[in-house]
Amino acid sequence: MNQVSRVVPIAVVIAGIVMIAGVLVVVLHRGAIFATDPVSPSLQTNVWVTGVARTGTGAEAKRDRARSLAVAFFRQRGFIDAQIAPEPPRPIDYEQDSHVYVADQIVDLRSVTFAPLARAMNALQRDVDPTERTVSGTFPTPPFLPLAFAVCILYVALLSISVAALETREADVNRAPRGMHPFYVATQTLLIGLLVLLAMVDAHALLPASRVPFIVAAALGVGILLLWLFKTRNWWQQTVFLRCAFVAYVIATVLVIVSDVLALRVPLT
């Protein structure tokens, strides 16, 4: 059997330290990272209330009724009046094509943390106006958007590299398979950390539209890890350190799956 490179244990240790340190930093500072805006003292989103009628006064009455429904809904979800700020009503618009009057108004909703705003917007359509004709809201911008972009970009990059690690054939019989090259071992190690961070980002984003892409991305990452571990399993038996490392990789992959399941179980409303 070909000998695994002596650099592999070094790659395991260094990449493992980087991976664990990165995950720990995010976990230990998750409140500041995922909950609050580092720039603004409060987070804000907008809710549109609309009234449509054949007369201007009728449109205003429907708009005011829609605003009352929205305000009552937010109060039921724990928002206080200081967090609910209706802006001045917009001028009534007359639509020539449909011959109706439209009365609009924006209600600003504020919170010091992200989750209440996101869950309120997710529940708004379900609990107030499924048609979104009279009451509709904009999903708040996550304060951790830069982190989310960074994790996604790095994940796609590492996922692309990780595919090459599945090639375990080697033309030179005196060398270990490519699947055990120190570079690919380090890549797979970092991929585990990024999968955990990806699950954390999706769990805190509370965005219904991100669920399916997250499931696909997580399934690809976990699938590549499992296939890589299966194809390289024999190469991890050469030393005590490598055997222990292999067990650690299996446990870490199981933890990734658990984190994915927990992320999907986070309530959106």
Side-chain angles (χ1 to χ4, degrees), residues 88-105:
R90 297 194 170 203
I92 298 176
D93 183 38
Y94 179 71
E95 296 186 352
Q96 297 286 347
D97 296 337
S98 53
H99 304 289
V100 295
Y101 289 89
V102 179
D104 289 328
Q105 187 175 7

Side-chain angles (χ1 to χ4, degrees), residues 128-166:
V128 179
D129 183 11
T131 66
E132 293 188 291
R133 294 177 181 174
T134 59
V135 181
S136 61
T138 56
F139 195 82
T141 302
F144 50 91
L145 200 58
L147 173 65
F149 277 131
V151 169
C152 291
I153 291 172
L154 289 175
Y155 176 70
V156 171
L158 281 186
L159 193 67
S160 303
I161 298 172
S162 297
V163 175
L166 301 180

Side-chain angles (χ1 to χ4, degrees), residues 19-202:
M19 180 266 291
I20 294 173
V23 172
L24 281 179
V25 167
V26 176
V27 170
L28 295 176
H29 296 86
R30 61 186 180 278
I33 294 174
F34 293 110
T36 59
D37 192 328
V39 178
S40 174
S42 65
L43 299 165
Q44 177 178 319
T45 189
N46 297 325
V47 178
W48 288 81
V49 292
T50 306
V52 180
R54 294 292 181 181
T55 63
T57 55
E60 287 181 328
K62 289 186 176 181
R63 177 202 62 204
D64 294 343
R65 187 159 52 248
R67 184 186 63 241
S68 298
L69 288 173
V71 170
F73 168 76
F74 295 134
R75 286 172 177 166
Q76 289 176 356
R77 296 191 66 90
F79 290 91
I80 61 176
D81 289 343
Q83 296 175 284
I84 308 169
E87 295 183 4
R90 297 194 170 203
I92 298 176
D93 183 38
Y94 179 71
E95 296 186 352
Q96 297 286 347
D97 296 337
S98 53
H99 304 289
V100 295
Y101 289 89
V102 179
D104 289 328
Q105 187 175 7
I106 295 177
V107 178
D108 295 328
L109 189 65
R110 302 186 180 94
S111 176
V112 294
T113 55
F114 174 75
L117 282 180
R119 289 194 169 101
M121 291 302 101
N122 289 336
L124 186 65
Q125 179 181 2
R126 182 196 66 187
D127 297 339
V128 179
D129 183 11
T131 66
E132 293 188 291
R133 294 177 181 174
T134 59
V135 181
S136 61
T138 56
F139 195 82
T141 302
F144 50 91
L145 200 58
L147 173 65
F149 277 131
V151 169
C152 291
I153 291 172
L154 289 175
Y155 176 70
V156 171
L158 281 186
L159 193 67
S160 303
I161 298 172
S162 297
V163 175
L166 301 180
E167 176 56 71
T168 57
R169 293 177 300 174
E170 178 59 59
D172 187 350
V173 296
N174 294 319
R175 296 175 58 189
R178 292 194 186 97
M180 290 297 293
H181 190 283
F183 175 76
Y184 290 130
V185 171
T187 298
Q188 302 299 74
T189 307
L190 296 176
L191 181 64
I192 292 174
L194 280 174
L195 278 167
V196 174
L197 293 179
L198 191 68
M200 293 183 65
V201 167
D202 185 76

